[in-house]
Amino acid sequence: MLNGIMTELGKERSVIREIFEYGNARKREIGAENVFDFSLGNPSVPAPACVREEIGRLLSEMPAQKLHGYTSAAGDPAVRAQVADYIEGAFGVPSRADLVYMTCGAAASLTITLNALCEAGDEFVVVAPYFPEYRVFIERAGGRFVSVRADEHFHLDLNALEKAVGERAKAVIINSPNNPTGAVYGEAELKGLASLLKKKSAERGAPVFLIVDEPYRELTYGAVVPYPARYYADTVTCYSFSKSLSLAGERIGYISVNPACTGAEELFAAVCGAGRALGYVCAPALFQRVCAACLGKSSDVNVYRENRDLLCGALTSYGYDCIPPEGAFYLFVKSPEADAKVFCERAKKYELLLVPSDSFGVEGYVRVSYCVERSVIERSLPAFERLVKEYSK
């Protein structure tokens, strides 16, 4: 009667969303000030001034029927040209407007790209820890999900990737700055990855594509985020403005197919076809234009830096083992006990809502989203201290 796979996905929401909804229920019961919700990566810093200014300008200067009407399926041509020009200017990599597809956020960018690439039997390799929805997106596209563990510092383990990228591998997905660890992949490891993928492509007799998931590019704390298409031709970049411009609910991003990509025009046609088949045509018209005016801008990263330093410093002093993030707004903390799920349940006694790492593809860690008001962190610290003291008794 119903699609069983879709029914199960609807009933079993992501772990992150389940914890978020639990937190909403607890806030109604005991008051929001008494719940310390570190579950969702929902930006807490206001959008930069250029967003409000551009919205105001467009509303006052552009006729409503044009402003809110359909754009071309792949996006407003002027916006696509601005995105391509920005990529060339910012990263020194050729880009073309006719290879840019405006999307309804990161999820649409990824699902469109996966559906454009996937053929029967194809494998897609991801680096763990990874964003949990990768598995859902890959398997729904008809691909086989292959996970390979990052190294002990949560950077690329090229030896492990060498073994994981087999003859059926269609693409490798990387996410830098990384969710959930905050790791930023450097130039040397990206060059190593490019060399590996060139070798694998030659062995396979067909390209192994690199899909780059970049919703956190601008959110770094001094780390340089290299542009992967500089090092590897067969790269598709999936970008979202959700985190950089604090526009998560507006669902806006883009796909950029590298002009040097094998069969770039055909690949872009497949992107357009996948967008059509999935119903992702014509991303929100107003925010296409708003984001085009704010390319390269970001909300105040210093707020996240201060949150990171406060939380990481305090938790380390209490005895937690924390990995200082280089970017994004997540703290990856080693669980004091082997089973992170059990630890997260124990944390609920103190109204601390943390995400166990199991759904990210590794065990024994928790993700703490510090994109919250500073006061939430300050009020939560005694609870974190009492929680870890349970393990020293």
Side-chain angles (χ1 to χ4, degrees), residues 93-95 99 229-230 232-237 256-262 264:
V93 174
S95 183
L99 297 177
R230 293 189 65 182
Y232 188 62
D234 290 313
T235 296
V236 180
T237 301
S256 175
V257 175
N258 186 9
C261 206
T262 303

Side-chain angles (χ1 to χ4, degrees), residues 82-389:
Q82 286 173 276
V83 170
D85 288 345
Y86 171 74
I87 290 171
E88 286 202 359
F91 308 119
V93 174
S95 183
R96 285 170 30 195
D98 64 335
L99 297 177
V100 172
Y101 189 100
M102 302 304 296
T103 67
C104 301
S109 295
L110 288 164
T111 53
I112 288 171
T113 300
L114 290 165
N115 278 270
L117 289 173
C118 189
E119 299 175 280
D122 281 346
E123 297 178 347
F124 292 84
V125 180
V126 306
V127 180
Y130 50 75
F131 179 55
E133 296 301 279
Y134 286 170
R135 179 187 291 274
V136 177
F137 298 160
I138 289 168
E139 292 180 349
R140 184 56 189 160
R144 179 171 175 264
F145 178 90
V146 178
S147 172
V148 57
R149 180 70 183 257
D151 69 15
E152 66 272 23
H153 304 294
F154 296 109
H155 281 254
L156 299 178
D157 185 334
L158 296 178
N159 290 328
L161 278 165
E162 169 88 35
K163 298 173 184 175
V165 179
E167 61 180 18
R168 298 298 306 175
K170 177 59 72 71
V172 173
I173 302 176
I174 61 171
N175 170 221
S176 172
N178 180 261
N179 172 14
T181 68
V184 173
Y185 302 154
E187 184 177 55
E189 59 192 310
L190 289 178
K191 285 182 175 178
L193 176 61
S195 178
L196 168 62
L197 295 181
K198 289 173 186 175
K199 174 187 171 185
K200 292 291 185 177
S201 297
E203 292 174 356
R204 186 172 182 263
V208 179
F209 293 93
L210 179 62
I211 300 173
V212 183
D213 180 25
E214 290 200 328
Y216 302 97
R217 166 168 282 280
E218 288 78 16
L219 303 184
T220 66
Y221 312 108
V224 175
V225 184
Y227 196 68
R230 293 189 65 182
Y231 314 108
Y232 188 62
D234 290 313
T235 296
V236 180
T237 301
C238 295
Y239 183 83
S240 168
F241 296 96
S242 293
K243 314 299 184 180
S244 60
L245 296 182
S246 294
L247 295 176
E250 305 305 337
R251 313 309 298 163
I252 187 73
Y254 64 79
I255 298 166
S256 175
V257 175
N258 186 9
C261 206
T262 303
E265 289 80 8
E266 283 296 302
L267 174 52
F268 189 76
V271 165
C272 294
R276 177 185 177 189
L278 293 166
Y280 286 136
V281 293
C282 182
L286 171 60
F287 277 92
Q288 286 188 49
R289 298 177 176 110
V290 169
C291 291
C294 300
L295 289 162
K297 304 289 178 55
S298 72
S299 51
D300 188 357
V301 179
N302 285 324
V303 175
Y304 296 134
R305 184 198 305 272
E306 291 169 2
N307 283 0
R308 177 198 68 163
D309 293 347
L310 172 61
L311 187 62
C312 191
L315 265 57
T316 300
S317 72
Y318 300 155
Y320 290 95
D321 184 357
C322 304
I323 300 166
E326 301 167 279
F329 40 51
Y330 307 108
L331 190 62
F332 211 48
V333 181
K334 193 168 183 59
S335 172
E337 60 181 288
D339 192 329
K341 292 180 182 178
V342 173
F343 172 66
C344 288
E345 286 301 311
R346 181 175 291 198
K348 286 180 179 178
K349 292 194 308 181
Y350 300 94
E351 306 302 339
L352 291 166
L353 305 186
L354 317 174
V355 181
S357 63
D358 302 64
S359 62
F360 295 100
V362 298
E363 298 178 344
Y365 290 83
V366 297
R367 190 190 77 169
V368 186
S369 297
Y370 55 82
C371 50
V372 297
E373 296 292 334
R374 183 182 176 88
S375 61
V376 174
I377 297 175
E378 291 172 339
R379 293 198 310 274
S380 75
L381 294 181
F384 273 112
E385 187 172 19
R386 290 196 299 273
L387 173 60
V388 79
K389 281 182 177 178

